[in-house]
Amino acid sequence: QVQLVESGGGLVQAGGSLRLSCAASGSFFRIDAMGWYRQAPGKQRELVARINSGGNTIYADSVKGRFTISRDNAKNTVSLQMNSLKAEDTAVYYCNALIVVVAPANYWGQGTQVTVSS
């Protein structure tokens, strides 16, 4: 059974930094893209950043220049370094990965709360 386990959320003041990490475990053939999404209260889940197996990245416009996504293919992990945090970054952050078991399928972590106080 494939699982994504996140860590690193918490409470931080505006202007501060947090680092989120996500590790994939279980039996699978390979991991294609990995990424982070977030969902604020009353809003739809949105893409924050995504990275493919070749290291190519995409970012939401709202986080460009502040957030950095990275992955360790050997450890099956993805991280999100968040700097210059703003109150509007407050949300539940979800790890996401496209993992090939028999066929590619989307997997989600349980979510981790990030709260930025202004």
Side-chain angles (χ1 to χ4, degrees):
Q1 183 179 358
V2 177
Q3 283 189 317
L4 298 177
V5 178
E6 301 131 338
S7 61
L11 173 65
V12 66
Q13 287 188 332
S17 298
L18 281 175
R19 185 177 180 85
L20 305 182
S21 295
C22 172
S25 63
S27 180
F28 48 85
F29 180 58
R30 72 173 187 271
I31 301 177
D32 291 338
M34 303 186 82
W36 292 92
Y37 289 71
R38 67 186 181 187
Q39 187 166 20
K43 295 188 177 181
Q44 289 189 329
R45 191 173 298 190
E46 63 176 2
L47 173 68
V48 176
R50 196 159 176 85
I51 183 169
N52 66 15
S53 56
N56 297 307
T57 59
I58 57 172
Y59 292 93
D61 287 343
S62 59
V63 306
K64 282 181 181 177
R66 300 188 297 123
F67 291 10
T68 303
I69 189 170
S70 60
R71 67 187 280 179
D72 185 329
N73 292 329
K75 296 181 179 179
N76 297 320
T77 60
V78 62
S79 297
L80 185 69
Q81 178 65 42
M82 305 185 293
N83 298 328
S84 302
L85 283 160
K86 304 175 182 179
E88 50 263 44
D89 294 318
T90 295
V92 178
Y93 284 69
Y94 295 91
C95 177
N96 170 268
L98 186 63
I99 297 176
V100 179
V101 179
V102 176
N106 234 357
Y107 290 85
W108 293 93
Q110 79 281 3
T112 185
Q113 178 70 46
V114 171
T115 302
V116 183
S117 63
S118 56

